[in-house]
Amino acid sequence: MKVYISADLEGITGTTAWIETELNSQDIQPFLKQMTKEVEAAIEGAIAGGATEILLKDAHDSARNLDISNLPINCKVLRGWTGEPMCMVAGLDESFDRAIFIGYHSKGGSHRNPLAHTLVVNADVKINGEYVSEFLINTYAAALHGVPVAFVSGDVGLTEEIKIVNENIITFATKEGIGSATINVSPGLTIEETRNLVEKAMRVDRDLLQVNLPEKFIVEIIYRDHARAYRNSFYPGATYKPHNKVEFKTDDFYEVLRVLQFLT
């Protein structure tokens, strides 16, 4: 049984300020350790639940955050960015049984996490009229290959969104954002619950976890910078809209991933 794990940092227990997410900052160090522990717990849970092969994607910023020294021999790790549209789930294909997202966070435009964003911090993304999270984008990307998402950890706002998307996806809330602050559970509790809940998620029927792709996609990227919006409107098939917005329409979600890769 092959399992794909994608790990971000803004939904890891404790992270609250942007300086705690920047690779060359001293402030990030305790949270890189916690990120590694939460990922290791997810791997342990996946193996306890029957995983025989794991591909781990370091999916935050530089994609060079995790301490990989203690990874089991049946786990490969993808560090850095390939540059392909699958982005945070690069390397995921139809051979995987299910996917797990660790340390994910609320969507751009949300007040539920002081680090809320979608892909970049200087633009927001809508699909079919709704602001979208990296969770939803990557869940749709996995669905392109028929791979369901089984478990997600992150802030309360994200876990509430997930229950609307598919109540069978198992979640764990690491924190709740209030303004520029966060209320966090014990880091040890996150590690313990991640291990236990991932093992449980491995046994959920795949059909119950599947998320169906919409038939058509209207992508809107809302920029802070009007000059960037104007420039990016020249992407093939894109249209400039008032208030720093670029719109793109397609019935192929891979084309959505491609436009997000080039325009965010």
Side-chain angles (χ1 to χ4, degrees), residues 109 120-124 222-226 244:
V120 291
V121 296
N122 57 4
D124 292 326
I222 305 98
Y223 297 92
R224 311 287 190 270
D225 178 8
H226 71 277
N244 306 344

Side-chain angles (χ1 to χ4, degrees), residues 173-207:
T174 60
K175 69 181 77 174
E176 182 171 6
I178 303 176
S180 58
T182 60
I183 301 175
N184 297 268
V185 304
S186 161
L189 178 64
T190 297
I191 293 166
E192 179 181 331
E193 287 297 284
T194 297
R195 184 185 299 110
N196 294 337
L197 292 174
V198 168
E199 180 178 357
K200 178 181 176 181
M202 292 291 294
R203 299 192 171 98
V204 178
D205 190 290
R206 280 171 47 92
D207 291 338

